[in-house]
Amino acid sequence: MDRLIPILGRAAIAGLIIAAGTGLAQKEAANGSTTNIPGALPNVHLVAPVANGQWIMPAGDFGNLRYSPLGQINTSNVHNLHVVANMADGIPHGHEGGPLVVGNMLYMVTPFPNNLIAYDLSQPNFPLKWKYEPHPDVASQGIACCDVVNRGASYADGKIIYALLDAHVVAVDAQTGHEVWRTQVGDIHYGETTTMAPIVVKDKVYVGNSGGELGVRGKLTALDVKTGKIDWTAWSTGPDEDVRIGPDFKPFYAHDQQGKDQGIKSWTPGQWKIGGGTIWGWVSYDPELNLIYYGTGNPGPWNPDMRPGDNKWTVTIFARDADTGMAKWAWQLGPHDEWDYDEIMENILVDMPWKGQMRKLLIHPGRSGFVFVMDRTTGELLSASQYEPTNWATGYDLKTGQPIEVKAKETHFGKYSTDICPSSTGAKDFIPSSFSPRTGLVYIPAHNTCMDYMGTAVNYIAGTPYLGASVRMYPGPGGYQGELVAWDVAQGKKVWSVKEPDLPVYSGVLSTGGDLVFYGTMDGWFRALDAHSGKVLWQFKTPSGIVGNPMTFTGPDGKQYVAIYSGVGGWMGATALPEVSTDDPYAALGVVGAMKKIKTLSPPGDLLYVFGL
């Protein structure tokens, strides 16, 4: 009897494990996702399933890997890739983000007026199924700082959920195209717009606001996925109560542990109310820790002498409880930012060995020119390594978490500071990287642009530009302006790269189980590289520049496809649009000086391409 109990116990436990495993496998299959990564490096563990057939959220997975194990298209046959379908939406503006695939449907969100278009993948040539037209406020076009872009949608609870430019979020029935709910999350009269792709975790939709150059106060809003009702709001500045900082808030560094209400005390009186810290990038989620991670934008205005102090919690990475929104830790990457180095970029979550020990890592390829590797349970900075020409700081002190700044590159009111690298557009912008568990590499879409910068006087008028700086950008050193970088996380160094001589790399990246890396260029090339060597294995010239994010899916016919938008725009790409003149190098927040060539290299576009074998 005594011997039977443990045997029965083991059998029961084994049965439970098998049942749980079967249940997980069935759930993953239904979601078109998987945790099974053939060929993954030893001890590289995912935090959540990755896209494996469908693509139902902006990055394809909660960890922001932008990796799919699909491998029908691989290094041996990618040269046969060809256009299967292309669809025009008639809106020649920046096509950021990427489509979703749910079941037999493909969903595309356009730039303003933010139409949602559904295509039927079960029919030849993927015909239009329906189009939803939300008719957002036309005045929002004049409020948006950097083109009328949209960065994508999420699927949950039978609905496609996405943001409109006029600071609303909508949920649309994925089958019928009928609006289910619409919720206002901001006010364009105060300069707020919404351009980011919402993400859904359990019963909540998270969305941030844009408008850091118009005196907007940053915030993340959580809505109920069924009703759209606002559950809570976590502000980036202000009193602890507004920032959702409570007794469980434990930042790793002393610099971030300076007592209550640092979101007020680190500003001149009242400036925090118009101080930026907007959230317009990507949100990650760790189901085991039940934490969401995201970065906040620059403080405002750009003239740093108008806002002495650390300006917390701008340029900060937050970890928050996914249910309550209460902050667990925060790390301010750039106290009192002087260069417009937003840090709203992607936070890639993966468990892997670090210095001989398994760690729960957060990898953040930063706008400031550094790849940051952190422990996501505590907020400890493990390394900060330069990946593009960078001279505003020589590095980071890992003991204090503070940048080691270069005095000559400080910016001030009335002082013309020259040759600052990277420029305000960063060594990369919001465009997301990809991580392959098979190679252990992060593929970073980067650019090499520097700037001259002078703080200027500015007054706040609600809903109008509140910049306070005169900036001129130009190509950085080395004879190139764009670079796709393969970055070894464990070694903290570049392994290989592909450089672009004339324009930044301003497209997202996708890596796959076929050991391929897909990305686009601003002059319209869509490429597939060998993930190990960086060798260009295939490329296709689209009519316009690519600033969107590639994705892959399995069609109803069982075949793998890859999709990408072709439509230049966004902050750097808007120089290609007819309404932007290249006569003034200080125009478009200073990017025109670096982007004059785009007028001749990339006309505006409005296409979605689907490729297959």
Side-chain angles (χ1 to χ4, degrees):
M1 188 69 179
D2 289 344
R3 294 177 60 191
L4 281 176
I5 290 175
I7 292 172
L8 290 173
R10 285 196 295 271
I13 291 169
L16 287 172
I17 292 172
I18 292 169
T22 303
L24 176 62
Q26 290 173 342
K27 185 176 181 181
E28 289 180 348
N31 291 334
S33 63
T34 185
T35 52
N36 180 29
I37 308 294
L41 295 175
N43 296 324
V44 173
H45 300 155
L46 307 180
V47 301
V50 295
N52 185 39
Q54 300 189 98
W55 195 279
I56 67 170
M57 63 181 79
D61 68 288
F62 284 129
N64 262 285
L65 271 59
R66 293 185 183 271
Y67 173 87
S68 170
L70 296 182
Q72 281 186 15
I73 302 170
N74 53 51
T75 54
S76 66
N77 61 20
V78 68
H79 61 276
N80 293 321
L81 210 58
H82 61 273
V83 176
V84 172
N86 60 45
M87 305 84 154
D89 62 29
I91 303 168
H93 278 275
H95 282 61
E96 298 179 353
L100 300 180
V101 166
V102 184
N104 292 343
M105 303 282 279
L106 182 149
Y107 301 92
M108 171 185 188
V109 179
T110 73
F112 184 92
N114 302 137
N115 297 329
L116 173 63
I117 307 172
Y119 297 98
D120 187 348
L121 296 174
S122 67
Q123 301 298 317
N125 302 316
F126 307 156
L128 176 75
K129 184 78 170 180
W130 49 255
K131 181 164 73 171
Y132 161 74
E133 297 176 298
H135 300 292
D137 192 328
V138 294
S140 60
Q141 297 174 90
I143 301 296
C145 90
C146 311
D147 201 3
V148 292
V149 298
N150 181 284
R151 302 194 178 95
S154 284
Y155 169 82
D157 193 38
K159 300 183 276 286
I160 305 296
I161 301 170
Y162 68 102
L164 308 181
L165 191 65
D166 68 352
H168 288 72
V169 178
V170 294
V172 179
D173 186 295
Q175 290 299 316
T176 66
H178 296 152
E179 183 177 302
V180 179
W181 52 256
R182 178 185 301 222
T183 300
Q184 184 173 357
V185 293
D187 187 341
I188 62 171
H189 299 98
Y190 290 94
E192 281 184 286
T193 51
T194 38
T195 57
M196 71 169 278
I199 186 171
V200 179
V201 174
K202 294 186 278 190
D203 63 345
K204 289 184 173 52
V205 181
Y206 307 105
V207 65
N209 57 356
S210 302
E213 280 61 55
L214 292 92
V216 167
R217 181 187 175 201
K219 64 183 178 184
L220 184 78
T221 303
L223 304 91
D224 183 276
V225 71
K226 289 191 177 300
T227 65
K229 181 182 178 183
I230 293 177
D231 192 344
W232 48 257
T233 300
W235 297 88
S236 300
T237 65
D240 284 356
E241 181 180 1
D242 287 7
V243 185
R244 298 188 79 77
I245 285 177
D248 292 337
F249 181 59
K250 301 187 187 316
F252 190 84
Y253 293 103
H255 198 78
D256 297 318
Q257 304 168 353
Q258 301 183 59
K260 285 181 59 64
D261 297 333
Q262 287 302 303
I264 294 178
K265 295 175 181 175
S266 61
W267 297 84
T268 47
Q271 185 64 34
W272 58 271
K273 297 178 182 178
I274 52 174
T278 50
I279 299 153
W280 49 279
W282 313 102
V283 179
S284 305
Y285 171 59
D286 182 332
E288 181 183 341
L289 300 176
N290 196 36
L291 295 177
I292 57 171
Y293 303 88
Y294 64 89
T296 64
N298 60 284
W302 283 15
N303 179 352
D305 291 344
M306 291 181 66
R307 45 175 172 77
D310 280 352
N311 311 143
K312 289 188 182 314
W313 299 90
T314 61
V315 193
T316 296
I317 293 176
F318 271 107
R320 294 187 182 276
D321 184 284
D323 298 314
T324 66
M326 297 301 291
K328 291 295 183 182
W329 59 257
W331 174 52
Q332 191 176 33
L333 291 71
H336 187 64
D337 166 71
E338 301 180 28
W339 306 274
D340 182 38
Y341 291 154
D342 292 62
E343 288 295 357
I344 53 75
M345 288 72 208
E346 66 281 4
N347 295 302
I348 298 169
L349 312 183
V350 65
D351 297 348
M352 61 186 295
W354 179 264
K355 311 298 184 190
Q357 180 184 355
M358 282 295 292
R359 301 290 290 260
K360 292 182 178 299
L361 300 183
L362 181 154
I363 305 162
H364 181 90
R367 193 164 175 170
S368 58
F370 294 89
V371 175
F372 302 100
V373 180
M374 305 178 66
D375 184 318
R376 68 177 184 277
T377 63
T378 64
E380 178 186 6
L381 177 63
L382 303 177
S383 74
S385 308
Q386 292 184 11
Y387 67 99
E388 286 294 335
T390 299
N391 62 19
W392 70 276
T394 57
Y396 270 72
D397 183 335
L398 299 185
K399 293 181 179 177
T400 65
Q402 295 294 292
I404 305 166
E405 298 182 3
V406 176
K407 191 168 182 59
K409 303 304 177 184
E410 291 180 352
T411 69
H412 292 287
F413 175 69
K415 175 193 174 188
Y416 199 63
S417 302
T418 61
D419 187 32
I420 301 169
C421 306
S423 72
S424 295
T425 57
K428 74 180 288 294
D429 206 343
F430 65 92
I431 43 179
S433 312
S434 175
F435 174 86
S436 169
R438 288 172 60 90
T439 64
L441 303 178
V442 176
Y443 303 97
I444 305 170
H447 55 271
N448 173 25
T449 305
C450 300
M451 66 178 173
D452 301 335
Y453 190 117
M454 181 173 71
T456 60
V458 64
N459 292 316
Y460 174 75
I461 301 173
T464 65
Y466 183 56
L467 194 64
S470 177
V471 178
R472 182 179 73 92
M473 303 182 196
Y474 41 84
Y480 69 99
Q481 199 168 352
E483 187 174 22
L484 193 284
V485 176
W487 186 264
D488 187 319
V489 176
Q491 300 298 320
K493 67 179 184 181
K494 189 184 301 183
V495 178
W496 54 256
S497 75
V498 176
K499 293 181 177 177
E500 304 294 327
D502 297 321
L503 297 172
V505 173
Y506 218 67
S507 129
V509 186
L510 166 74
S511 58
T512 72
D515 281 339
L516 296 170
V517 173
F518 291 91
Y519 76 107
T521 68
M522 292 191 87
D523 56 356
W525 288 102
F526 186 46
R527 290 186 178 136
L529 310 181
D530 185 305
H532 295 277
S533 68
K535 181 181 179 181
V536 178
L537 300 177
W538 171 88
Q539 59 181 348
F540 178 87
K541 186 70 165 65
T542 70
S544 182
I546 295 174
V547 296
N549 307 326
M551 52 80 73
T552 188
F553 62 94
T554 303
D557 57 3
K559 296 179 180 178
Q560 183 186 356
Y561 297 92
V562 179
I564 187 69
Y565 295 145
S566 172
V568 75
W571 184 8
M572 300 198 82
T575 308
L577 305 180
E579 57 267 33
V580 178
S581 168
T582 56
D583 293 339
D584 180 5
Y586 294 85
L589 310 181
V591 300
V592 167
M595 298 297 295
K596 286 184 177 181
K597 286 188 177 179
I598 201 170
K599 284 283 192 194
T600 58
L601 296 173
S602 183
D606 63 348
L607 286 165
L608 163 63
Y609 275 92
V610 180
F611 298 89
L613 293 173

